[in-house]
Amino acid sequence: MSKANRKTIIAGNWKMNKLRGEARELLDAVVKAVGDQKNLLEIVVFPPYTSLDVAATSLKDSPVKFGAQNMDNHDSGAYTGEVSAKMLTDIGATYVIIGHSERRMYFAETNQTVPLKVKAALDNGLVPVVCVGELLDERENNLTDPVVKRQVGAALTGLTPEELSKVVIAYEPVWAIGTGKVCESPEAARVIGLIRVTLKQFLDKQPELSDSIPILYGGSMNAKNADELLAQEEIDGGLIGGASLKVEDFHAIIQSASKRARLSAARS
Ligand code: PGA
């Protein structure tokens, strides 16, 4: 797959928001808003666990996919409070976010636990959206590149080339998440370019496989800045938090992404 026909993905990370009734309303609105843009884009929403069954019902006849915001790497057993990949596929989820910075920050997710979860997700047919990104302090100390490379390398350890080609990566500078401080689009594109080089090194025998891996940007993406971010060739879509909770904003981002997808389809 060449980069021209790599999927453009718009993903909404709802975090710990929306009760079931509210989730149903938002999902119905998203389905309506997506309309005929479905063929060009992959649109995914990540509601909290308590609304995954609502998503399964509301999205049944829709091209919009859904996933979970986290999972455990074990299949089943005495792991109180955890949810497995099998449970997620059982409910109809097709994606799962792994290694989000909020999980790294508050729930002891590390470069050691992330690869176990990535592998378990792939073993069960889920697409893992692996989040990487530097802290403000790391950026200010010129550590962005080594931190991001290390996180990408750790997350993908032990995967076969075929498994690797099914992963989605999200570059989310931590200082840009939920702060309204978006990363300048050329800089986001530069770091994403670096991630793609890292992927190519991982896939040294089949470097072309790395071209099929979508790399998204996340961190204060909104209706106003989506056009500019998505105009960067390196940025294959967005992982959107706050702006995915309002259908007008999410829809505007989807429209920016369709523009991008139409342009790259025309180029190929
Ligand atoms: P934000 O969150 O869009 O609210 O910055 C992005 C994310 O955490 O994935």
Side-chain angles (χ1 to χ4, degrees):
M1 194 186 283
S2 77
K3 67 180 174 195
N5 48 21
R6 194 155 60 222
K7 264 189 226 165
T8 298
I9 302 176
I10 292 298
N13 174 12
W14 292 10
K15 309 193 181 188
M16 199 171 72
N17 292 295
K18 302 288 175 191
L19 301 179
R20 290 163 59 80
E22 297 166 333
R24 189 171 298 113
E25 264 174 38
L26 180 54
L27 289 162
D28 289 349
V30 168
V31 167
K32 214 155 134 207
V34 165
D36 58 2
Q37 286 154 19
K38 60 195 176 209
N39 295 327
L40 294 168
L41 298 178
E42 180 93 329
I43 297 163
V44 195
V45 290
F46 294 90
Y49 287 134
T50 48
S51 290
L52 290 181
D53 68 323
V54 178
T57 308
S58 301
L59 303 176
K60 192 157 50 79
D61 301 315
S62 143
V64 179
K65 307 243 169 71
F66 70 95
Q69 300 167 17
N70 177 41
M71 54 165 260
D72 188 61
N73 61 290
H74 300 93
D75 277 350
S76 62
Y79 301 102
T80 302
E82 293 299 321
V83 171
S84 72
K86 272 195 198 325
M87 291 168 176
L88 297 179
T89 49
D90 188 43
I91 208 165
T94 49
Y95 280 80
V96 62
I97 296 175
I98 294 185
H100 190 280
S101 63
E102 286 151 16
R103 299 224 48 96
R104 293 180 193 253
M105 236 181 318
Y106 309 132
F107 302 102
E109 194 83 273
T110 64
N111 282 346
Q112 282 71 47
T113 57
V114 167
L116 302 175
K117 294 186 176 191
V118 171
K119 178 78 173 104
L122 290 165
D123 284 349
N124 288 282
L126 290 169
V127 177
V129 179
V130 179
C131 300
V132 298
E134 79 287 356
L135 303 167
L136 181 58
D137 183 52
E138 291 165 339
R139 172 159 287 267
E140 286 173 349
N141 285 291
N142 287 325
L143 293 172
T144 297
D145 295 8
V147 165
V148 169
K149 273 204 242 173
R150 199 175 324 122
Q151 288 175 334
V152 171
L156 307 179
T157 302
L159 300 184
T160 65
E162 283 66 33
E163 286 172 331
L164 255 162
S165 68
K166 294 186 185 125
V167 167
V168 173
I169 310 256
Y171 169 55
E172 298 205 305
V174 180
W175 49 271
I177 295 179
T179 58
K181 282 189 215 149
V182 68
C183 185
E184 295 290 323
S185 55
E187 173 59 9
R190 184 193 72 77
V191 180
I192 288 179
L194 175 84
I195 294 173
R196 193 161 297 289
V197 170
T198 310
L199 293 175
K200 280 205 166 54
Q201 286 163 354
F202 245 81
L203 285 157
D204 60 337
K205 297 212 172 58
Q206 291 161 276
E208 71 289 350
L209 279 182
S210 68
D211 282 335
S212 67
I213 301 175
I215 310 180
L216 318 181
Y217 169 79
S220 297
M221 189 186 269
N222 60 32
K224 289 204 183 80
N225 58 32
D227 255 352
E228 193 190 326
L229 285 160
L230 295 170
Q232 298 283 334
E233 224 185 312
E234 291 82 355
I235 303 178
D236 297 318
L239 180 57
I240 298 118
S244 71
L245 296 172
K246 288 199 205 105
V247 73
E248 306 75 36
D249 294 354
F250 196 51
H251 185 214
I253 298 171
I254 290 171
Q255 282 180 314
S256 301
S258 326
K259 228 184 286 170
R260 174 203 169 79
R262 269 197 305 272
L263 275 178
S264 55
R267 258 191 249 122
S268 66

